[in-house]
Amino acid sequence: MAFLPNDVLAARRRSTTDADWASFEARFEVEFPRLAGLFHRIYGENADDQLALLAVEAADSWQDRPADLKAIDAARAQNPYWFSSNTMLGGVCYVDRYAGTLSGVRSRIPYFRELGLTYLHLMPLFRAPEENSDGGYAVSSYREVDPALGTMDELADLAAELRANGISLVVDFIFNHTSNEHEWARKALAGDPAYEDFYLLYPDREMPDAYERTAREIFPDDHPGSFVQLDDGRWVWATFYSFQWDLNYRNPAVFRAMAREMLFLANQGIDIIRMDAVAFIWKRLGTPCESLPEAHLLLQAFNAVCRLAAPSLLFKSEAIVHPDEVVQYIHPEECQLSYNPLQMALIWNSLATRDASLLAQALERRHATPPGTAWVNYVRSHDDIGWTFSDEDAAELGIHGHDHRRFLNAFFVNRFPGSFARGVPFQDNPRTGDCRISGTTASLAGLEAGDPGAVGRILLAHSIILSTGGIPLLYLGDEVGQLNDYSYAQDPAQAEDTRWVGRPGYPAGRYAVKDDPATDAGAVFSRLHRLIEVRRLTPEFAGGRLVPFSTNNAQVLGYQRPGAPGAGGSMVLALANFADSRQDISAETLSGLAPSAVELLSGTFITLADGISLDAYGVVWLRCRTGH
Ligand code: GLC
Ligand code: GLC
């Protein structure tokens, strides 16, 4: 770029070796023009000064990057799709709730290894407002760990120790908003014009009213619309809680400031950052202000900054939106990984309806992602479950989206006769009819209600995330069947936010009996452990290729996993019975397959010519060959 002469960059060079500097320059040649192109598309020609500063900061950050992380950068450049291996397994937990402190997390590493984790997502652990911080999603400093949990040095040490144990560390990059206690927010409040321009602040209701005509309400229980009023009378954009102020990405200084925070985190040894609330980062009048084209350009620009200065860092997109929008974030040059909210929601849908058709349809038409990317598949997260399926897809199967969502909400909060689920409504909005639900896997699957099918449902749900391709992500504690925690209702900072029902503390009692299969906890743990072990030994489960399989039985889901090309012609056929009764798959349905197969979970030979009978909630993973 004309405005960044080579000598400007060369002047930043410190005592780094020739080879090291050459590797930066080589990436610079490719990635800087990409970054500049994106900058021009987002900001026009007026941001070249910010761009030049950013380039220089990237050079500095690369030189600050510890040697062990540069070694990982080099290794992963040789093996860029390391994350699509069938040995990848994720776990997520809150530091305080699950282990007290960072050193508590460290002491749980032997257990993480026993479970087979290779990826650990620690929920937000940065300095945040004390009373209520939306579970840490209101960040007051990206450079400080919450002092109750530990220090930034301890986080870097933990990252190194996890890495030595084969576990990648994942943390959130909460870049749509900061807390109102962040230094930038304080300065904005005090009237510093440079920082006022970091947020979306308005003197009166004119612009807020105009935006709210088309923007969706996200946390209506906290405040209606997207804005909150400050004590001085001004209005600030706050998509989520009133203390979470959205950043103004129309200001290129905001992009640069956040890019610096991102690189700082990367250099602590973080392997993957979870890009929080990606859909909301760009606003335009007259639109829903979600998933706008600029949101993608911004993510690609962050991606380019990483390739310059922390090349092995991966992005995971958190877009819990319509499936057509979710996929738009998934690309090697945008977010290599993405939550799979559609699969998550449809697993629960199938459990409620005992019908796998919508899930089968989603696997058929919405599962493929571009080469070099992968889903993060999960049964539930720390958040609510929203029914994000496409109404058009549902209509093809005779399902009316709006009515069906009402049914699902009623079912999962136990307002439907015969329901096994014990969930709690979240952000029930009588004005729009919108509602989501909260709860732990076990409580939603019937364990709390004492339903005899509960353990089977928990395993069935996990079998799907373990075998459809991508990184399966366990909510830690769910592997021993932890139940809802209703104590949040007594805590004024949590009482209004039912997501806390699904975020219990470390379930010590259940872990204590996890090796006794006669207990519920042990039954879930031992059978889940078996699923994990078998997956790890099954190369067909690597990568994301999936071929639908029609079972001729709406209650039984089927899919084939052919594995990576050249894997030897075998494939694994997964069958999963969502009915609460035994179901048969006929010999004729299986007649396209070679007559004998190995059922991997039980390690037995099966003659497909007899057809297959599946227990209620039964799952089989059959290694087969096609043809005779
Ligand atoms: C994400 C988080 C959620 C949080 C929100 C605002 O959706 O998962 O917990 O409330 O972002 O940061
Ligand atoms: C997400 C979703 C919203 C969800 C919220 C947190 O960004 O879009 O539906 O409820 O964050 O729970």
Side-chain angles (χ1 to χ4, degrees):
M1 299 307 295
F3 53 86
L4 194 77
N6 283 343
D7 51 342
V8 172
L9 203 59
R12 301 308 293 190
R13 182 170 169 185
R14 302 195 293 250
S15 56
T16 179
T17 64
D18 287 348
D20 186 70
W21 189 249
S23 86
F24 180 76
E25 283 184 327
R27 293 195 308 275
F28 195 85
E29 229 164 84
V30 180
E31 299 296 344
F32 186 70
R34 179 161 83 97
L35 178 61
L38 290 161
F39 244 62
H40 287 157
R41 285 173 70 189
I42 301 167
Y43 299 114
E45 303 297 321
N46 304 325
D48 285 356
D49 51 340
Q50 294 292 329
L51 182 59
L53 289 167
L54 189 57
V56 156
E57 284 159 0
D60 291 348
S61 180
W62 170 253
Q63 293 176 89
D64 291 341
R65 191 161 169 82
D68 55 339
L69 301 183
K70 288 183 176 175
I72 292 182
D73 293 330
R76 291 198 174 147
Q78 298 306 311
N79 181 23
Y81 308 135
W82 60 278
F83 54 82
S84 55
S85 153
N86 53 302
T87 63
M88 280 295 286
L89 177 69
V92 53
C93 65
Y94 285 91
V95 174
D96 56 343
R97 309 205 137 220
Y98 195 76
T101 60
L102 290 177
S103 75
V105 172
R106 201 173 184 149
S107 66
R108 299 221 188 281
I109 291 177
Y111 173 66
F112 298 151
R113 293 190 57 150
E114 175 190 349
L115 194 56
L117 295 192
T118 62
Y119 158 133
L120 179 67
H121 173 200
L122 296 178
M123 295 294 291
L125 37 73
F126 304 104
R127 186 183 280 282
E130 253 172 41
E131 195 200 329
N132 188 351
S133 64
D134 187 20
Y137 280 98
V139 177
S140 304
S141 166
Y142 298 90
R143 303 207 176 207
E144 284 167 89
V145 168
D146 173 353
L149 307 179
T151 65
M152 196 48 86
D153 286 344
E154 284 177 315
L155 184 66
D157 289 348
L158 176 63
E161 188 161 342
L162 286 167
R163 202 174 316 118
N165 283 280
I167 302 173
S168 296
L169 179 59
V170 186
V171 301
D172 284 80
F173 186 51
I174 300 149
F175 69 118
N176 173 69
H177 45 265
T178 71
S179 89
N180 59 348
E181 295 182 7
H182 193 285
E183 186 193 343
W184 305 336
R186 291 183 197 270
K187 289 183 176 166
L189 200 57
D192 179 336
Y195 289 96
E196 284 178 321
D197 205 21
F198 266 47
Y199 298 93
L200 296 137
L201 281 161
Y202 299 98
D204 53 40
R205 282 294 306 174
E206 188 189 335
M207 291 307 289
D209 284 340
Y211 277 115
E212 283 177 359
R213 275 194 276 279
T214 50
R216 179 166 74 106
E217 286 183 317
I218 304 300
F219 281 2
D221 288 356
D222 183 65
H223 61 274
S226 304
F227 292 82
V228 291
Q229 192 166 26
L230 304 176
D231 289 343
D232 63 16
R234 289 186 291 175
W235 293 83
V236 67
W237 197 306
T239 298
F240 298 94
Y241 277 105
S242 48
F243 49 80
Q244 287 163 304
W245 294 5
D246 288 44
L247 285 162
N248 173 23
Y249 277 96
R250 284 180 188 268
N251 175 0
V254 167
F255 180 87
R256 180 165 73 89
M258 286 308 290
R260 274 201 305 259
E261 304 309 84
M262 177 181 75
L263 292 181
F264 172 82
L265 283 177
N267 281 356
Q268 308 309 307
I270 311 299
D271 295 275
I272 301 173
I273 50 176
R274 172 190 182 276
M275 308 300 280
D276 183 58
V278 290
F280 299 95
I281 58 178
W282 192 266
K283 285 86 168 150
R284 190 188 315 123
L285 210 55
T287 74
C289 299
E290 283 184 48
S291 294
L292 293 176
E294 289 84 352
H296 296 285
L297 300 178
L298 285 166
L299 284 162
Q300 290 163 30
F302 279 120
N303 177 304
V305 172
C306 272
R307 300 285 80 75
L308 285 175
S312 61
L313 187 71
L314 297 178
F315 291 0
K316 173 173 68 163
S317 155
E318 190 243 352
I320 314 301
V321 289
H322 190 284
D324 288 346
E325 286 173 32
V326 174
V327 293
Q328 290 169 10
Y329 294 93
I330 310 174
H331 192 276
E333 295 192 344
E334 193 165 325
C335 297
Q336 301 88 346
L337 304 173
S338 167
Y339 283 100
N340 191 349
L342 180 63
Q343 179 177 101
M344 184 274 297
L346 293 183
I347 289 172
W348 290 108
N349 171 68
S350 304
L351 288 171
T353 59
R354 283 81 162 166
D355 184 317
S357 313
L358 258 184
L359 182 52
Q361 184 205 49
L363 286 175
E364 179 165 0
R365 62 170 73 150
R366 296 189 181 272
H367 187 69
T369 65
T373 67
W375 287 116
V376 172
N377 294 314
Y378 61 117
V379 173
R380 64 99 169 193
S381 71
H382 68 289
D383 277 334
D384 47 299
I385 297 175
W387 310 109
T388 57
F389 58 82
S390 140
D391 284 14
E392 292 72 27
D393 287 1
E396 284 177 37
L397 298 173
I399 297 165
H400 185 274
H402 179 264
D403 296 353
H404 193 60
R405 284 189 188 88
R406 288 186 77 103
F407 156 73
L408 289 168
N409 283 326
F411 185 91
F412 281 104
V413 304
N414 189 27
R415 288 183 198 149
F416 189 84
S419 171
F420 51 75
R422 294 293 180 268
V424 181
F426 178 68
Q427 305 288 333
D428 203 344
N429 190 337
R431 230 165 35 73
T432 58
D434 184 34
C435 179
R436 286 100 84 188
I437 61 119
S438 304
T440 64
T441 298
S443 287
L444 295 175
L447 200 62
E448 188 176 326
D451 187 279
V455 170
R457 289 188 198 97
I458 295 170
L459 290 154
L460 169 58
H462 282 96
S463 82
I464 308 295
I465 66 161
L466 285 161
S467 63
T468 46
I471 305 176
L473 177 58
L474 308 176
Y475 191 100
L476 292 173
D478 280 7
E479 77 280 17
V480 291
Q482 68 188 339
L483 298 174
N484 282 350
D485 174 2
Y486 295 95
S487 66
Y488 75 101
Q490 266 70 60
D491 180 339
Q494 298 179 351
E496 301 297 319
D497 188 335
T498 64
R499 290 175 301 169
W500 288 103
V501 84
R503 304 168 178 173
Y506 183 78
R510 304 189 75 90
Y511 277 116
V513 296
K514 76 174 176 30
D515 296 321
D516 176 1
T519 63
D520 290 336
V524 173
F525 183 80
S526 60
R527 291 170 60 189
L528 186 56
H529 205 249
R530 175 81 190 147
L531 287 165
I532 291 168
E533 277 303 300
V534 171
R535 170 178 178 268
R536 210 156 58 85
L537 298 171
T538 305
E540 291 90 338
F541 287 149
R545 287 183 66 214
L546 180 147
V547 180
F549 182 85
S550 171
T551 63
N552 295 315
N553 179 335
Q555 301 190 281
V556 180
L557 179 68
Y559 46 93
Q560 310 171 61
R561 296 299 318 283
S570 71
M571 61 90 175
V572 172
L573 171 65
L575 299 173
N577 178 14
F578 283 86
D580 36 23
S581 58
R582 179 172 277 278
Q583 294 294 316
D584 297 320
I585 303 301
S586 70
E588 201 191 338
T589 297
L590 301 167
S591 62
L593 305 167
S596 67
V598 181
E599 202 290 299
L600 299 172
L601 294 167
S602 58
T604 53
F605 282 94
I606 305 237
T607 307
L608 299 178
D610 300 340
I612 290 186
S613 189
L614 290 154
D615 292 338
Y617 313 114
V619 172
V620 292
W621 288 348
L622 301 165
R623 177 171 281 138
C624 323
R625 290 178 185 278
T626 42
H628 294 269

